[in-house]
Amino acid sequence: MRNSICILILLALTFSLCLRTFISMLIVVMVRPASTNATYDSNIVDDDLLDWPLTWKPLIFSAPLLGCLLALPLYFKFLNEVPKAWPIAVVLIFQSLLSLISPLVARISLVAFIVLRVILGLAEGCVMPALNTIAAAWFPLNERVFKVAIYTCGFQISFGGVQYLISFLSSIGVPWQFIFYGGGVIGLLFCIVWQLFTSDSPSESRFVGREEMKFINDHIPKTGTKPLSTPWSSILSSPVVIAHLLCMSGFYFAIGITSNLLPLYFSEELGMPITKSGVFTLVPFLMQIISKFVVGFIVDWRKKKGGLSHTVAAKICQTIGSIGSALALFALPFCHSNHTIAFIVLVVYGATFSLCVCGFYASMTMIAPRLTGSITSLVTFVGMVVCLLSMLVFSAFVWTSTSHKFFWLFGIAGVLQVIAGVAYLIWGTAEVQPWAISQEAPPSIVMRPLLD
């Protein structure tokens, strides 16, 4: 059953992010190019395009991030005190409905469309912390890295796969409005499946057998039976948490640049049509999925054999992920119009960047099991701030007509990744922290207090 929960978490994350990231590729498809010399697919009906100014595009990209940023502080406390499964269903239903009305709103007003996307981000803010909390209750430590590698593929599927799908659909003449409609309908159907089969913990599930329940209980950290209030002073002063914050900063700045701006970079800097840029956008995300699966499986296999600790595994993955992706980001602006070199650099970037998930992201669910919601909310909040900052930097470059703007953007992302790798190598760990353990230890694991 825990494998099924992993797949459901993957799909929930995918649908939530898809409904937000449609616009990163659709902005190239649905908006009339600023210049008559710009390249876009011949199957797109010109009369169906929107007349939105170029200077507004960064704000359209960053609107959901602003919504997430406003919402996350509200979840810091509540995510450790309320159920996690049903709020995710409510959020996905709400996001699906917003997707269904997006084409109409886009026709009416650009400002109204931006406001709608801010509301979309407000709803999305609770998804990742809630999903990580469910994962902390369901997945034993010796399976945690591989399971996290699986369900975080929602990032790659939504950021890369969906952009490729949009590229393909636009190339065969599918109107951009139907992409919003399709995403909304699929999201609503998935919510039914989510509510039927998902629960906050194994003890609340109708589908968990006795043997599986015992296995999960035997491999979840014992953190005490008393309700644990959130020790914010200890969390904020912890070097371990600071290392995770720095890692998430580099992680989300890179995500902000690659998920939102790669189609624009290929169009403006490399002169690619939309049909070809979709393939190039898919490459790094496809490589991330492959490398996460392979590395996650190997890491958990080595830990089960007793030859690798959780902390050592996380540090190795994080170091390779940060330094490798930084080098690729530094190289990407120098590809110019050489599509072959750009392809190779994107392969290297994708293969290394995803190892950060097997590093700091997996350990984030281990350092404080019963406080995973609060920890994830805090770390994600900082990541969203940095991701929004990446869009603001891009906006500043656009408004000031800065030359070589992508050189600076990719360079900043690379520097942040190097800082993240060094910080985690020094302070990072996957061990349960003292401030996350109750004073009274239980004789056996009790799942409900783990969530509370």
Side-chain angles (χ1 to χ4, degrees):
M1 183 62 193
R2 59 186 184 279
N3 294 327
S4 301
I5 293 294
C6 185
I7 299 301
L8 288 172
I9 293 176
L10 163 64
L11 294 175
L13 179 60
T14 300
F15 287 130
S16 179
L17 292 175
C18 280
L19 298 175
R20 168 165 67 90
T21 57
F22 279 158
I23 197 66
S24 60
M25 181 62 80
L26 282 174
I27 198 70
V28 184
V29 178
M30 61 193 278
V31 179
R32 183 173 287 108
S35 170
T36 56
N37 296 324
T39 302
Y40 61 99
D41 196 270
S42 58
N43 287 323
I44 300 175
V45 181
D46 185 71
D47 293 340
D48 203 33
L49 301 180
L50 303 174
D51 291 308
W52 287 352
L54 176 65
T55 52
W56 283 78
K57 289 183 180 179
L59 184 57
I60 298 171
F61 288 143
S62 57
L65 300 176
L66 179 61
C68 288
L69 190 63
L70 295 174
L72 279 169
L74 301 177
Y75 303 128
F76 282 172
K77 179 178 177 58
F78 298 125
L79 276 176
N80 288 323
E81 299 179 352
V82 301
K84 313 300 182 300
W86 67 261
I88 293 176
V90 172
V91 166
L92 288 175
I93 291 173
F94 185 65
Q95 287 183 305
S96 300
L97 294 176
L98 291 180
S99 182
L100 291 173
I101 66 173
S102 289
L104 175 62
V105 176
R107 289 290 186 191
I108 296 174
S109 169
L110 170 58
V111 175
F113 185 76
I114 293 174
V115 172
L116 181 145
R117 288 181 58 75
V118 172
I119 298 173
L120 192 73
L122 283 170
E124 184 193 324
C126 76
V127 172
M128 199 66 242
L131 291 178
N132 281 343
T133 302
I134 294 175
W138 271 93
F139 306 144
L141 288 182
N142 58 2
E143 297 179 355
R144 186 74 56 86
V145 175
F146 188 53
K147 289 294 193 296
V148 170
I150 291 176
Y151 76 75
T152 55
C153 285
F155 287 104
Q156 286 75 46
I157 295 173
S158 57
F159 293 152
V162 170
Q163 291 182 0
Y164 175 76
L165 178 62
I166 293 173
S167 171
F168 171 74
L169 293 176
S170 65
S171 69
I172 62 176
V174 176
W176 58 265
Q177 298 95 327
F178 284 88
I179 299 174
F180 284 106
Y181 299 147
V185 171
I186 294 173
L188 290 175
L189 293 176
F190 170 74
C191 289
I192 300 174
V193 179
W194 175 267
Q195 277 300 97
L196 288 175
F197 296 101
T198 310
S199 60
D200 289 346
S201 69
S203 62
E204 299 176 5
S205 174
R206 298 168 296 175
F207 307 101
V208 179
R210 184 174 301 176
E211 291 185 4
E212 185 178 17
M213 178 71 75
K214 183 179 184 304
F215 178 82
I216 295 174
N217 288 346
D218 289 343
H219 293 85
I220 293 289
K222 298 176 175 61
T223 55
T225 56
K226 292 183 177 180
L228 187 65
S229 60
T230 306
W232 283 114
S233 59
S234 298
I235 291 175
L236 296 175
S237 61
S238 171
V240 175
V241 175
I242 293 174
H244 283 79
L245 293 175
L246 291 174
C247 288
M248 184 63 95
S249 298
F251 190 74
Y252 260 78
F253 194 96
I255 285 179
I257 298 299
T258 55
S259 64
N260 291 314
L261 302 180
L262 272 184
L264 205 59
Y265 170 72
F266 294 141
S267 176
E268 293 185 2
E269 299 293 325
L270 302 185
M272 286 186 186
I274 184 67
T275 51
K276 188 173 183 180
S277 65
V279 177
F280 272 65
T281 303
L282 176 64
V283 167
F285 300 109
L286 182 61
M287 289 305 302
Q288 288 176 36
I289 293 176
I290 295 173
S291 64
K292 276 197 304 183
F293 272 36
V294 172
V295 174
F297 176 81
I298 293 174
V299 167
D300 279 343
W301 175 75
R302 289 295 301 163
K303 289 194 295 185
K304 289 178 181 178
K305 294 293 183 179
L308 197 64
S309 70
H310 300 304
T311 297
V312 172
K315 288 193 175 186
I316 292 174
C317 292
Q318 184 64 40
T319 302
I320 297 175
S322 294
I323 303 302
S325 60
L327 294 176
L329 288 167
F330 290 145
L332 193 57
F334 296 99
C335 296
H336 301 297
S337 59
N338 193 318
H339 295 178
T340 301
I341 295 178
F343 184 87
I344 295 173
V345 171
L346 290 172
V347 168
V348 174
Y349 171 77
T352 55
F353 181 73
S354 64
L355 297 190
C356 296
V357 173
C358 300
F360 90 94
Y361 206 96
S363 67
M364 183 172 61
T365 66
M366 301 179 189
I367 59 175
R370 294 194 299 168
L371 297 172
T372 299
S374 294
I375 297 294
T376 304
S377 296
L378 173 63
V379 175
T380 305
F381 176 79
V382 173
M384 287 293 180
V385 171
V386 175
C387 192
L388 181 60
L389 180 61
S390 71
M391 293 296 96
L392 294 177
V393 172
F394 174 67
S395 302
F397 289 159
V398 171
W399 291 332
T400 58
S401 301
T402 302
S403 58
H404 309 297
K405 57 180 177 290
F406 287 103
F407 168 81
W408 293 107
L409 285 170
F410 291 132
I412 295 171
V415 170
L416 290 176
Q417 281 292 80
V418 172
I419 294 173
V422 174
Y424 195 86
L425 196 59
I426 297 173
W427 298 309
T429 182
E431 303 302 323
V432 177
Q433 297 302 290
W435 40 263
I437 302 175
S438 297
Q439 295 299 319
E440 181 181 335
S444 61
I445 300 301
V446 181
M447 296 304 298
R448 187 68 240 180
L450 178 64
L451 291 175
D452 291 337

